[in-house]
């Protein structure tokens, strides 16, 4: 944090970016860091490779986040890259980042590539939001409502509303400080979770029809085909959390969702209960993530991909449960 504070003091023009398919931690941390830098009198651009998901439009300053199709790429001296485990997750911002002299990589993914000039990686942290909270404290900056809303969003989404094992005593202590600013956490959660578009529910309905089980009910899996997206008038964003329905079934240890994209590649999301490390499975296919939540993207025919993923998952199940 000392090195990061020193870099902030030394530069004037900043860029903050995050991963493809940005989530609550990605955009919440991005805006909280934006507010921090603005308070230090800096010039800051927020550019991602993907558009801001609609459910996060309530975040203060969210309108300032551009996605680079429309944005003129700035001449930044320093780029902050948040919540990105490997450079591939930067999408079409990757090349732009390669041209920036100083890159500060702030993340909490185990197995981060450490692609930055400075890498602040702490996998004990629930979220990048929790890291940015500590940066505010370290720099002795008062936390006010707008950044508290963003940090709360980052933490609540990345901990599955404080249910995942990444939620620690420190997480709750940080959140208690955020609540002291007077933010309305019920309102925030209503914005994130109780604003479901019909398209999302229709997509869930179609996906649930495909729910199947393997390994004596220990694996639950579902499919979303490109046809289903059009039938439900849904987008990729609408498929978030659907995988959890498969994992939450009684007796299921690993939930898997296969999403077919129009370009022919298949995105596979994994969720597990505490015993199984799904990051290990995803990383065999070039993906990554966390112990209980991971993903990878594979090219190929759905049938073949399904067979390979199942084989790897059963292997992981056998080695984790029988021991
Ligand atoms: Mn995160």
């Amino acid at each position: 944090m000392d090195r990061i504070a020193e870099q902030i003091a030394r530069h004037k023009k900043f860029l903050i970016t995050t991963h493809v398919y940005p989530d609550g931690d990605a955009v919440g941390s991005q805006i909280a860091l934006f507010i921090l830098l603005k308070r230090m009198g800096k010039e800051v651009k927020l550019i991602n490779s993907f558009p801001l998901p609609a459910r996060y439009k309530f975040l203060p300053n969210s309108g300032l986040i551009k996605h680079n199709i429309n944005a003129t790429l700035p001449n930044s001296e320093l780029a902050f890259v948040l919540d990105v485990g490997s450079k591939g997750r930067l999408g079409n911002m990757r090349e732009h980042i390669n041209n920036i002299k100083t890159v500060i990589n702030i993340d909490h993914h185990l197995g981060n590539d450490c692609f930055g000039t400075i890498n602040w990686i702490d996998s004990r942290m629930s979220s990048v939001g929790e890291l940015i909270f500590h940066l505010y404290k370290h720099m002795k900056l008062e936390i006010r409502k707008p950044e508290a809303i963003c940090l709360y969003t980052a933490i609540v989404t990345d901990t599955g509303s404080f249910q995942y094992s990444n939620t620690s005593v420190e997480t709750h202590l940080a959140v208690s400080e955020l609540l002291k600013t007077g933010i309305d956490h019920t309102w925030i959660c209503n914005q994130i979770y109780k604003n479901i578009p019909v398209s999302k529910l229709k997509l869930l309905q179609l996906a649930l029809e495909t729910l199947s089980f393997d390994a004596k009910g220990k694996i639950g899996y579902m499919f979303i085909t490109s046809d289903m997206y059009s039938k439900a008038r849904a987008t990729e964003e609408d498929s978030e959390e659907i995988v959890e329905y498969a994992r939450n079934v009684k007796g299921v240890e690993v939930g898997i969702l296969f999403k077919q994209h129009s370009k022919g590649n298949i995105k596979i999301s994994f969720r597990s209960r505490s015993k199984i490390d799904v990051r290990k499975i995803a990383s065999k296919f070039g993906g990554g993530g966390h112990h209980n939540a991971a993903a990878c993207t594979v090219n190929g025919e759905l049938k073949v991909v399904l067979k390979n993923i199942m084989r790897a998952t059963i292997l992981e199940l056998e080695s984790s449960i029988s021991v």
Side-chain angles (χ1 to χ4, degrees), residues 19 23 25-26 83 107-109 126-128 158 290:
H19 53 80
D23 55 18
D25 187 29
D83 205 33
D107 188 33
H108 67 126
H109 290 85
S126 66
S127 51
V128 175
D158 253 26
H290 305 280

PDB file of all heavy atoms in Angstrom, residues 19 23 25-26 83 107-109 126-128 158 290, ligand 1:
ATOM      1  N   HIS A  19     -12.293  -6.594 -15.373  1.00  0.00           N
ATOM      2  CA  HIS A  19     -12.417  -7.757 -16.259  1.00  0.00           C
ATOM      3  C   HIS A  19     -13.654  -7.748 -17.168  1.00  0.00           C
ATOM      4  O   HIS A  19     -14.579  -6.965 -16.982  1.00  0.00           O
ATOM      5  CB  HIS A  19     -12.386  -9.054 -15.443  1.00  0.00           C
ATOM      6  CG  HIS A  19     -13.377  -9.116 -14.310  1.00  0.00           C
ATOM      7  ND1 HIS A  19     -14.699  -9.421 -14.494  1.00  0.00           N
ATOM      8  CD2 HIS A  19     -13.219  -8.921 -12.973  1.00  0.00           C
ATOM      9  CE1 HIS A  19     -15.313  -9.425 -13.319  1.00  0.00           C
ATOM     10  NE2 HIS A  19     -14.443  -9.119 -12.376  1.00  0.00           N
ATOM     11  N   ASP A  23     -18.507  -7.686 -12.639  1.00  0.00           N
ATOM     12  CA  ASP A  23     -19.467  -7.996 -11.579  1.00  0.00           C
ATOM     13  C   ASP A  23     -19.480  -6.857 -10.560  1.00  0.00           C
ATOM     14  O   ASP A  23     -18.878  -5.802 -10.771  1.00  0.00           O
ATOM     15  CB  ASP A  23     -19.109  -9.351 -10.933  1.00  0.00           C
ATOM     16  CG  ASP A  23     -17.676  -9.397 -10.426  1.00  0.00           C
ATOM     17  OD1 ASP A  23     -17.062  -8.315 -10.251  1.00  0.00           O
ATOM     18  OD2 ASP A  23     -17.167 -10.504 -10.186  1.00  0.00           O
ATOM     19  N   ASP A  25     -18.083  -6.590  -7.638  1.00  0.00           N
ATOM     20  CA  ASP A  25     -16.772  -6.268  -7.080  1.00  0.00           C
ATOM     21  C   ASP A  25     -15.963  -5.452  -8.080  1.00  0.00           C
ATOM     22  O   ASP A  25     -15.306  -4.469  -7.709  1.00  0.00           O
ATOM     23  CB  ASP A  25     -16.034  -7.571  -6.727  1.00  0.00           C
ATOM     24  CG  ASP A  25     -14.729  -7.322  -5.983  1.00  0.00           C
ATOM     25  OD1 ASP A  25     -14.636  -6.305  -5.264  1.00  0.00           O
ATOM     26  OD2 ASP A  25     -13.807  -8.161  -6.114  1.00  0.00           O
ATOM     27  N   ALA A  26     -16.039  -5.843  -9.346  1.00  0.00           N
ATOM     28  CA  ALA A  26     -15.283  -5.148 -10.390  1.00  0.00           C
ATOM     29  C   ALA A  26     -15.670  -3.669 -10.449  1.00  0.00           C
ATOM     30  O   ALA A  26     -14.823  -2.789 -10.294  1.00  0.00           O
ATOM     31  CB  ALA A  26     -15.532  -5.825 -11.739  1.00  0.00           C
ATOM     32  N   ASP A  83      -9.336  -6.797  -9.902  1.00  0.00           N
ATOM     33  CA  ASP A  83     -10.119  -8.048  -9.901  1.00  0.00           C
ATOM     34  C   ASP A  83      -9.822  -8.928 -11.119  1.00  0.00           C
ATOM     35  O   ASP A  83     -10.671  -9.700 -11.545  1.00  0.00           O
ATOM     36  CB  ASP A  83     -11.627  -7.699  -9.838  1.00  0.00           C
ATOM     37  CG  ASP A  83     -12.464  -8.826  -9.228  1.00  0.00           C
ATOM     38  OD1 ASP A  83     -11.965  -9.532  -8.342  1.00  0.00           O
ATOM     39  OD2 ASP A  83     -13.626  -8.991  -9.654  1.00  0.00           O
ATOM     40  N   ASP A 107      -5.780  -7.419  -6.716  1.00  0.00           N
ATOM     41  CA  ASP A 107      -6.657  -8.578  -6.897  1.00  0.00           C
ATOM     42  C   ASP A 107      -6.669  -9.481  -5.669  1.00  0.00           C
ATOM     43  O   ASP A 107      -5.806  -9.391  -4.790  1.00  0.00           O
ATOM     44  CB  ASP A 107      -6.195  -9.371  -8.129  1.00  0.00           C
ATOM     45  CG  ASP A 107      -7.156 -10.477  -8.498  1.00  0.00           C
ATOM     46  OD1 ASP A 107      -8.366 -10.309  -8.292  1.00  0.00           O
ATOM     47  OD2 ASP A 107      -6.689 -11.521  -8.994  1.00  0.00           O
ATOM     48  N   HIS A 108      -7.665 -10.375  -5.640  1.00  0.00           N
ATOM     49  CA  HIS A 108      -7.770 -11.354  -4.549  1.00  0.00           C
ATOM     50  C   HIS A 108      -7.923 -12.785  -5.079  1.00  0.00           C
ATOM     51  O   HIS A 108      -8.343 -13.663  -4.338  1.00  0.00           O
ATOM     52  CB  HIS A 108      -8.939 -10.981  -3.620  1.00  0.00           C
ATOM     53  CG  HIS A 108     -10.276 -11.103  -4.268  1.00  0.00           C
ATOM     54  ND1 HIS A 108     -11.302 -11.849  -3.731  1.00  0.00           N
ATOM     55  CD2 HIS A 108     -10.774 -10.596  -5.429  1.00  0.00           C
ATOM     56  CE1 HIS A 108     -12.359 -11.777  -4.518  1.00  0.00           C
ATOM     57  NE2 HIS A 108     -12.067 -11.017  -5.546  1.00  0.00           N
ATOM     58  N   HIS A 109      -7.622 -13.009  -6.365  1.00  0.00           N
ATOM     59  CA  HIS A 109      -7.697 -14.370  -6.918  1.00  0.00           C
ATOM     60  C   HIS A 109      -6.419 -15.146  -6.606  1.00  0.00           C
ATOM     61  O   HIS A 109      -5.320 -14.671  -6.889  1.00  0.00           O
ATOM     62  CB  HIS A 109      -7.898 -14.341  -8.435  1.00  0.00           C
ATOM     63  CG  HIS A 109      -9.242 -13.854  -8.851  1.00  0.00           C
ATOM     64  ND1 HIS A 109      -9.529 -12.521  -9.000  1.00  0.00           N
ATOM     65  CD2 HIS A 109     -10.393 -14.525  -9.106  1.00  0.00           C
ATOM     66  CE1 HIS A 109     -10.802 -12.395  -9.366  1.00  0.00           C
ATOM     67  NE2 HIS A 109     -11.345 -13.585  -9.422  1.00  0.00           N
ATOM     68  N   SER A 126     -11.966 -10.987   0.846  1.00  0.00           N
ATOM     69  CA  SER A 126     -13.227 -11.420   0.231  1.00  0.00           C
ATOM     70  C   SER A 126     -13.383 -10.869  -1.179  1.00  0.00           C
ATOM     71  O   SER A 126     -14.023 -11.469  -2.014  1.00  0.00           O
ATOM     72  CB  SER A 126     -14.391 -10.921   1.068  1.00  0.00           C
ATOM     73  OG  SER A 126     -14.450  -9.503   1.028  1.00  0.00           O
ATOM     74  N   SER A 127     -12.790  -9.703  -1.402  1.00  0.00           N
ATOM     75  CA  SER A 127     -13.084  -8.955  -2.625  1.00  0.00           C
ATOM     76  C   SER A 127     -12.019  -7.894  -2.830  1.00  0.00           C
ATOM     77  O   SER A 127     -11.280  -7.566  -1.886  1.00  0.00           O
ATOM     78  CB  SER A 127     -14.439  -8.252  -2.464  1.00  0.00           C
ATOM     79  OG  SER A 127     -14.439  -7.522  -1.240  1.00  0.00           O
ATOM     80  N   VAL A 128     -11.970  -7.341  -4.024  1.00  0.00           N
ATOM     81  CA  VAL A 128     -11.088  -6.180  -4.238  1.00  0.00           C
ATOM     82  C   VAL A 128     -11.644  -5.004  -3.439  1.00  0.00           C
ATOM     83  O   VAL A 128     -10.897  -4.172  -2.936  1.00  0.00           O
ATOM     84  CB  VAL A 128     -10.948  -5.860  -5.738  1.00  0.00           C
ATOM     85  CG1 VAL A 128     -10.142  -4.587  -5.949  1.00  0.00           C
ATOM     86  CG2 VAL A 128     -10.272  -7.011  -6.459  1.00  0.00           C
ATOM     87  N   ASP A 158     -19.424 -10.182  -3.869  1.00  0.00           N
ATOM     88  CA  ASP A 158     -18.355 -11.191  -3.930  1.00  0.00           C
ATOM     89  C   ASP A 158     -18.398 -12.195  -2.773  1.00  0.00           C
ATOM     90  O   ASP A 158     -17.752 -13.236  -2.846  1.00  0.00           O
ATOM     91  CB  ASP A 158     -16.970 -10.532  -4.000  1.00  0.00           C
ATOM     92  CG  ASP A 158     -16.359 -10.661  -5.390  1.00  0.00           C
ATOM     93  OD1 ASP A 158     -17.132 -10.774  -6.361  1.00  0.00           O
ATOM     94  OD2 ASP A 158     -15.111 -10.664  -5.508  1.00  0.00           O
ATOM     95  N   HIS A 290     -11.981 -18.975  -7.887  1.00  0.00           N
ATOM     96  CA  HIS A 290     -11.797 -19.219  -6.457  1.00  0.00           C
ATOM     97  C   HIS A 290     -12.128 -20.675  -6.135  1.00  0.00           C
ATOM     98  O   HIS A 290     -12.639 -21.402  -6.973  1.00  0.00           O
ATOM     99  CB  HIS A 290     -12.697 -18.295  -5.643  1.00  0.00           C
ATOM    100  CG  HIS A 290     -12.521 -16.853  -5.962  1.00  0.00           C
ATOM    101  ND1 HIS A 290     -11.482 -16.095  -5.460  1.00  0.00           N
ATOM    102  CD2 HIS A 290     -13.228 -16.020  -6.763  1.00  0.00           C
ATOM    103  CE1 HIS A 290     -11.576 -14.862  -5.922  1.00  0.00           C
ATOM    104  NE2 HIS A 290     -12.631 -14.790  -6.720  1.00  0.00           N
TER     105      HIS A 290
HETATM  106 MN1  LIG B   1     -13.683 -10.108  -6.962  1.00  0.00          MN
END
